[in-house]
Amino acid sequence: MDKSLNTEQVSVEPQEKRAAKPVDRPFLAMLGMLIGGFVGMLSETSLNIALPSLIAELHVSIGTMQWLVTGYMLVIGIVLPMSSLLQRIFSTRSLILFALCDFIVGAVISAVAPNFAILLIGRMIQGIATGLILPLMFTVATLIFPPYKLGAAMGMIGLVIMFAPAVGPTLAGMILGLLSWHWIFWLFIPFLVVAFILAAKFLPNVGDISKPKIDWLSIILSAIGFGGLVAGVNLASDSGWGSPAVIGTLVVSLLVLAWYIRRQLASKTPILNFRVFKKSQFTTGSILVMLDFAIILSSMYLLPMFWQNGLAIPVALTGIVMLPGGIVNAIVSAVAGRFSDTISTKLLTTLGFGITIVGLILLLLASSTSPMWYVILAHIVIMMGVPLAMSPAQTFGLGALDQQTSGDGSTIMNTFQQIIGAMATAIATSLLAFGSSAAGNVSHRIAFTNGVHVGLWFTLIVAIAALLLSLTIKGQKWA
């Protein structure tokens, strides 16, 4: 009898080591979402390399064309804040399957688009899907993986979030070297179909449906606040920061956003639970993630155009020369999550942002006559730094929350990550235009290079701010 009792005690896993919602094969349960998330994040930067060609083919300005990038993130920023509410109304499985179908529809519309307007509509439909998938990846991971494996799980998600934007220009460049830009979107579809099949077969519903009362006013305030903020910054690319329309849009958006946040704090069942910011650890981790994402999106927006317009590299070759950085990004993203289980967040994030700063300085020293290997090296250094900081910062921030608030935390983190990313891209665009025009009577290559440098100064300032913030992390040893 004693022996059987001992056997039972050994076979039962301690409570603190169990997942909140155990599943038999958690990786397979996540795989469909991971592929969908990868395609969603790939879509954020895959068009960057095609922008010069699209500007010429569709006859629009660079500021208008930028809407293909920031408009996509604008929709993500509107949908993301509602994901926590949607998870209480619909099952996580249903939301993921809907998102994957929605992405396929958006990709088909974009692939057959005859003009800029239809292409933008297709992109924005895709944004709905990405806005649903991103927070669900984090929510499901925190529920189906035990705490001691959460770092590795975040490493998988980090690989998706960091590697996809880094490798997007490479894949797009290779496609453009052989085919037209339409095939960038056709490429998404087989991956999305595979993701749908995997999710339909292996993904169970792990959420709790409570059918809360819908606060329609908060939804409207959220769409106006978050959407207007991105739209205002984006308008500055064409109209300038001193434009009354830009200033008015930003002021109204900030006031509406403040109203929205205040309403959420006063609500017993908020759409976004901003009370999680009372946890200083979550606040620090979230800000680090946002700044890291601003670095990757702004640099990945500027670099492909620098290759083509500053260094006069053909579009197909641009994709190839960006491949080494993408490979390094994948390797570092894959191991950074595992490191975060054993090495302090302070050490990893500080090292990551420090390496990123070195890479950005190398790029700032590049000119229109710099050798190809030098720019490749600078890109590799940046791609080592940004993923090294991302997964530890995510794990650190979400680790401060309990199971009841982890979903809210991941949604807030992803929402502001996309908003900050869209704003960083828009700011980089306006600085690129300003720097190019301020170069004076010089060749196009030199003027464009000057514009890239002005944009990269913004990225460098963001990286320095992130480094300084990582040094304030308390309660963790350096090793």
Side-chain angles (χ1 to χ4, degrees):
M1 184 174 180
D2 291 337
K3 185 176 179 180
S4 64
L5 284 173
N6 289 337
T7 303
E8 183 179 358
Q9 290 171 351
V10 170
S11 63
V12 176
E13 197 172 25
Q15 182 66 35
E16 64 272 12
K17 290 189 176 182
R18 294 181 196 167
K21 299 288 183 71
V23 298
D24 292 335
R25 291 172 287 186
F27 176 75
L28 278 178
M30 289 285 298
L31 190 54
M33 280 187 295
L34 290 171
I35 295 174
F38 180 85
V39 175
M41 298 304 296
L42 183 70
S43 186
E44 288 203 348
T45 59
S46 59
L47 277 190
N48 289 353
I49 199 169
L51 291 182
S53 302
L54 284 167
I55 289 169
E57 183 175 335
L58 301 179
H59 308 292
V60 295
S61 69
I62 187 171
T64 301
M65 188 59 66
Q66 182 204 324
W67 274 102
L68 292 180
V69 179
T70 53
Y72 176 76
M73 289 187 281
L74 169 64
V75 175
I76 296 175
I78 292 173
V79 173
L80 264 169
M82 294 188 288
S83 62
S84 289
L85 173 64
L86 292 173
Q87 289 175 54
R88 298 175 215 149
I89 299 175
F90 305 101
S91 71
T92 50
R93 174 184 167 86
S94 298
L95 287 172
I96 288 297
L97 293 178
F98 167 79
L100 292 170
C101 288
D102 171 85
F103 209 131
I104 292 172
V105 171
V108 171
I109 291 173
S110 298
V112 300
N115 54 48
F116 174 80
I118 301 300
L119 179 56
L120 180 60
I121 290 171
R123 288 282 288 169
M124 296 178 85
I125 291 173
Q126 294 170 53
I128 296 172
T130 305
L132 291 172
I133 294 173
L134 283 180
L136 282 168
M137 283 197 303
F138 287 93
T139 301
V140 173
T142 56
L143 291 174
I144 68 175
F145 285 95
Y148 67 95
K149 289 185 177 180
L150 189 57
M154 290 300 169
M156 287 193 305
I157 297 174
L159 177 61
V160 166
I161 290 178
M162 299 305 294
F163 177 54
V167 78
T170 296
L171 293 178
M174 293 178 178
I175 293 170
L176 290 171
L178 300 171
L179 304 163
S180 71
W181 60 265
H182 299 273
W183 284 93
I184 295 175
F185 299 103
W186 287 122
L187 176 68
F188 294 160
I189 296 174
F191 290 99
L192 293 167
V193 170
V194 170
F196 182 89
I197 294 171
L198 289 170
K201 185 171 183 179
F202 297 110
L203 178 64
N205 176 46
V206 295
D208 297 317
I209 300 175
S210 59
K211 300 286 184 180
K213 182 180 178 181
I214 299 176
D215 182 357
W216 291 106
L217 177 58
S218 289
I219 291 176
I220 294 171
L221 293 176
S222 172
I224 295 174
F226 288 115
L229 198 61
V230 176
V233 176
N234 199 59
L235 285 172
S237 301
D238 266 344
S239 305
W241 290 94
S243 166
V246 172
I247 295 173
T249 302
L250 291 176
V251 169
V252 171
S253 300
L254 290 171
L255 290 174
V256 170
L257 201 55
W259 183 8
Y260 169 72
I261 293 173
R262 184 175 180 181
R263 186 174 177 85
Q264 301 314 297
L265 290 173
S267 174
K268 293 182 180 179
T269 55
I271 294 178
L272 276 185
N273 183 11
F274 285 95
R275 297 184 187 92
V276 294
F277 281 109
K278 291 181 179 179
K279 300 274 189 180
S280 60
Q281 179 177 326
F282 173 78
T283 301
T284 301
S286 296
I287 295 174
L288 289 174
V289 168
M290 296 172 207
L291 295 177
D292 203 37
F293 204 64
I295 294 167
I296 187 72
L297 285 193
S298 60
S299 61
M300 286 302 97
Y301 177 77
L302 293 168
L303 191 55
M305 290 195 291
F306 174 56
W307 277 109
Q308 293 178 65
N309 294 295
L311 298 175
I313 299 295
V315 63
L317 185 57
T318 300
I320 295 173
V321 295
M322 294 189 72
L323 182 59
I327 294 173
V328 169
N329 183 287
I331 295 171
V332 177
S333 295
V335 300
R338 296 186 180 275
F339 284 161
S340 66
D341 288 330
T342 55
I343 302 176
S344 79
T345 301
K346 186 172 185 176
L347 175 60
L348 291 174
T349 54
T350 302
L351 183 60
F353 289 122
I355 292 172
T356 301
I357 289 171
V358 172
L360 290 171
I361 291 173
L362 289 175
L363 271 185
L364 281 166
L365 295 175
S367 69
S368 59
T369 58
S370 293
M372 190 182 299
W373 67 264
Y374 177 83
V375 183
I376 293 174
L377 175 63
H379 181 216
I380 288 174
V381 174
I382 294 173
M383 291 298 99
M384 289 175 59
V386 284
L388 187 61
M390 176 61 83
S391 292
Q394 287 172 332
T395 306
F396 177 71
L398 294 175
L401 307 179
D402 55 28
Q403 293 175 0
Q404 286 70 38
T405 57
S406 62
D408 292 311
S410 65
T411 300
I412 288 174
M413 187 180 287
N414 279 280
T415 299
F416 282 98
Q417 175 179 302
Q418 293 297 320
I419 296 297
I420 295 298
M423 292 175 65
T425 303
I427 292 170
T429 302
S430 62
L431 292 174
L432 171 64
F434 170 78
S436 298
S437 61
N441 188 22
V442 294
S443 68
H444 172 72
R445 288 177 58 183
I446 295 175
F448 199 91
T449 300
N450 188 69
V452 170
H453 285 166
V454 174
L456 285 173
W457 272 109
F458 161 74
T459 309
L460 179 62
I461 291 170
V462 173
I464 292 172
L467 174 64
L468 294 176
L469 179 60
S470 67
L471 291 172
T472 67
I473 293 176
K474 297 178 181 178
Q476 291 209 339
K477 296 179 180 179
W478 284 89

